[in-house]
Amino acid sequence: MEENNTKDEIPGRSLNFIEEIIEEDLRSGKNGNRVHTRFPPEPNGYLHIGHAKSICLNFGLGKKYNGKTNLRFDDTNPVKEDVEYVDSIKEDVKWLGFDWEDREFYASDYFEQLYEFALILIRKGKAYVCDMSADEISETRGTPTRPGKESPFRNRTVDENIDLFSHMRAGEFPDGAKVLRAKIDMSSPNMHMRDPIIYRIIHTSHHRTGDTWCIYPMYDFAHGQSDSIEKITHSICTLEFEVHRPFYDWLIQEIGIYAPRQIEFARLNLSYTVMSKRKLLELVQNKFVSGWDDPRMPTICGLRRRGYTPEAIRNFADTIGVAKRDNVIDINLLEFCIREDLNARASRVMGVLNPLKIVLDNFPEDLVEEMEAVNNPENPSAGIRKVPFSKELYIEEEDFMENPQGKFFRLSPGKEVRLRSAYIIKCESVIKDPISGRIREVHCTYDPLTKSGMPESNRKVKGTLHWVSVKHALKAEIRLYDRLFTVENPDNAEEGKTYIDYLNPDSLQVKTGYIEPSVKQVLPLDKLQFERLGYFSVDYDSTAENLVFNCVVTLKDKRPK
Ligand code: ATP
Ligand code: MG
C-alpha cells in the first residue's frame, strides 16, 4: 500500500474497543504477536458504503499493527454468486486504496478441507445426515422459548452417516433430499445451536469449482473454518453474527483447529438509503436505477461514478468510528467528508445551470477579454486560468430579481454586482417577451475601471456572481441528484408498504448547463467546483462533443435547482 494513500489517523484519537482487544492480545503474547484480519465478502452483489466501512476497518487494523489482511470470498452459494461480483469487489477494494497482496482467497478453495472437517464431526458423533425437508427442519426447531424436537435421523450410526454423506457428495440425491446437520442441542436457548444445517445438496455449477461439487457448506460452516485455515487472529464481523459466535467457537473446538477470535461491531446504516444487497439488487433489476453504479446508489461503484473519492470515504469511515450498538449515520456526514476533500483539490470553474442573458451595452461588440481566474484559492499552486469575457453573458436566473424584496444583494434594476474575476456591472433595463412576459435579457453597463488590479476594483458591492460568455460557453448535460428515498429510514416501512414506496421520484434531474471553455479537455471522473453551486464530476458518458457532469454534492447543504 502506498504510504501516502491512507489518511493518517486522527492524532490523539483514543483506541476503539477492537483496538483495545488487539492491543491486549499483543501484550499477552497471544497469536505470537501476529495481527491478521480479513475482509470476507460473499460475491453475490456489489459492495456498498457499509462494506467500505468494514474494508477500512479490517485493512486499517492490518496496517496499524503491522499485520496482514486477506481478501476472502465466502463463495458457498453457487445459486447467487457470480464472477461479475468477484471482479467488481476486487476493483472496489483496490480503488479504496487497499492491497491484499498475494492473499486473495476463496472459501471454495477449501471445499475439500471443509468436507474433511465434516467427516471429523461425523466420526466424533457430532454430525448426522438428516432426511427431513427444509420446512420440517424449521418447524421442528422450536422457538426461543420452546425447545425444538429431535430429528428421527439424529441417532444414525457413524458408519451410516459417513456412507450417506459420501453418497450425497457423489450426487446420488436430488436437491433438498438430505442435509448434514451438526449434533448439538435441540433445547439450547440459542437457536443457532439447535442442530444447525452444515451441508446441503445443490446441483448447480459453481463459478469457480464448476460441477466438482453438488454439496455445499453453509456459510456458518465455511466462514469460521476458513478464518482458521488462514490463521486469522481477529475475525471482525457485524453484530448480527454475535448469536452465531457460540456455533463458530463450537465448530473450531470440535474439529480441533486454530481458534481465531470473532469480534462483532455495529453495521453502518446510512439515512435516506438502503444497504441490503438484496434490496440494491431489486432496485437494479426493476430498473428503479440505471445500474449498480447509478450515482444515486450507496454502492462503492455508484459513489465513485457520482464523484466521491477514496480519501473522502476513508475519512468518513474513520470519523464514524466503531460502535457496539446499531445506529444510523446521517448522510450529511458523508457529504461533509466529500466537500472537505474536494474543497482542497477541485479546480474552480464557472458554469450556469439556469441561464439568464445579460447584455453589456457599453462593451465593444466584438471584443473578447481574457480574464484571469484563480483555479483554487485553497491551493495557490493550482495557478490561474484565462476565462473569456464578452458583451453577452449568462448568469443564473435566480441571481436576478426585477422587484427584489428584503435583503437581495444580487442583480436588480439600478443595482451593482461584481462578476467574479471580471468587472462590476450595473443593471440598466429589462427586456421581456411581449406575450409571455418572461424576462428575455437584462441590459447592463460595465465599469471598465473595476477589473481586478485596477484602482476601482476594490469598490464595495454586496454581491458577486458567476457567469459565462454566451459565445464561448460549452453546453453540457448536468445531472443533479437528490436523495434516493424520501424518508430517513426506508427499511422501516409502515404497514402495507415497502421501501420501494419511499423512492424519491425527483432523485434525478437532467439539465443543460453552460460551462466556461476551460473544461473542454475533461475526462471521466475529473472533479471540478462550479463556483457558487457545488462539486461536479465528469460522468463515464461524457465525450469531447457531449460533456456530461454529475453533481457530487452542493457547496452548502442545499441542492442546486
Ligand atoms: P447483506 O447486505 O445482504 O446483509 P452482507 O452485506 O452481509 O449481505 P457480505 O458480503 O457477507 O454481505 O459482507 C462482507 C463483510 O462486510 C462482512 O464482514 C459484513 O459483516 C460486512 N458488512 C456488510 N454490511 C456492512 C455494513 N452495513 N456495515 C459494516 N460492515 C458491513
Ligand atoms: Mg453477510
Side-chain angles (χ1 to χ4, degrees), residues 501-512:
D501 294 301
Y502 301 105
L503 275 167
N504 178 2
D506 300 318
S507 57
L508 168 64
Q509 195 195 349
V510 180
K511 308 203 77 118
T512 300

Side-chain angles (χ1 to χ4, degrees), residues 272-422:
Y272 293 99
T273 192
V274 294
M275 215 91 97
S276 120
K277 282 192 257 184
R278 178 182 64 78
K279 291 178 182 167
L280 296 174
L281 180 64
E282 270 171 9
L283 293 177
V284 172
Q285 284 176 337
N286 297 320
K287 303 215 164 20
F288 291 118
V289 294
S290 64
W292 285 100
D293 69 350
D294 186 301
R296 291 165 293 180
M297 291 279 270
T299 49
I300 297 178
C301 56
L303 291 166
R304 173 162 68 236
R305 184 169 187 175
R306 174 84 169 252
Y308 273 78
T309 59
E311 290 80 358
I313 295 175
R314 292 199 301 258
N315 190 23
F316 171 71
D318 228 38
T319 306
I320 56 180
V322 187
K324 278 191 198 179
R325 250 179 249 276
D326 275 318
N327 58 354
V328 179
I329 301 291
D330 189 337
I331 197 163
N332 285 311
L333 181 60
L334 181 63
E335 296 185 342
F336 170 82
C337 292
I338 187 63
R339 258 185 217 115
E340 199 183 41
D341 186 35
L342 293 183
N343 180 41
R345 62 161 103 196
S347 281
R348 276 59 171 164
V349 297
M350 291 191 283
V352 171
L353 300 190
N354 298 295
L356 173 67
K357 193 191 241 181
I358 300 287
V359 180
L360 301 179
D361 292 331
N362 60 340
F363 198 88
E365 196 69 39
D366 295 320
L367 181 65
V368 179
E369 264 197 73
E370 298 286 341
M371 313 308 288
E372 289 194 337
V374 172
N375 284 332
N376 187 347
E378 302 288 321
N379 174 14
S381 69
I384 54 166
R385 68 184 186 288
K386 301 260 163 95
V387 187
F389 184 89
S390 66
K391 189 177 179 72
E392 292 189 345
L393 309 167
Y394 287 136
I395 62 165
E396 289 306 334
E397 210 170 50
E398 69 164 27
D399 284 335
F400 175 77
M401 265 178 100
E402 196 179 5
N403 301 302
Q405 252 119 61
K407 290 184 181 167
F408 183 79
F409 300 125
R410 290 166 281 168
L411 196 62
S412 57
K415 291 282 163 54
E416 284 193 326
V417 290
R418 184 187 307 278
L419 295 180
R420 165 108 3 130
S421 309

Side-chain angles (χ1 to χ4, degrees), residues 72 94 179 194 198 213 238 261 263 265 303 333 359 390-391 440 484 506 534 540:
R72 182 176 69 241
K94 265 189 218 147
V179 292
R194 294 186 185 175
I198 55 181
W213 295 90
T238 38
R261 172 166 180 184
I263 306 167
F265 74 103
L303 291 166
L333 181 60
V359 180
S390 66
K391 189 177 179 72
R440 274 220 315 245
L484 186 51
D506 300 318
Y540 303 141

Side-chain angles (χ1 to χ4, degrees), residues 78-95:
V79 179
K80 294 194 171 158
E81 297 160 6
D82 199 88
V83 276
E84 175 195 349
Y85 300 132
V86 171
D87 293 343
S88 75
I89 289 168
K90 290 201 291 190
E91 184 185 358
D92 289 349
V93 175
K94 265 189 218 147
W95 178 76

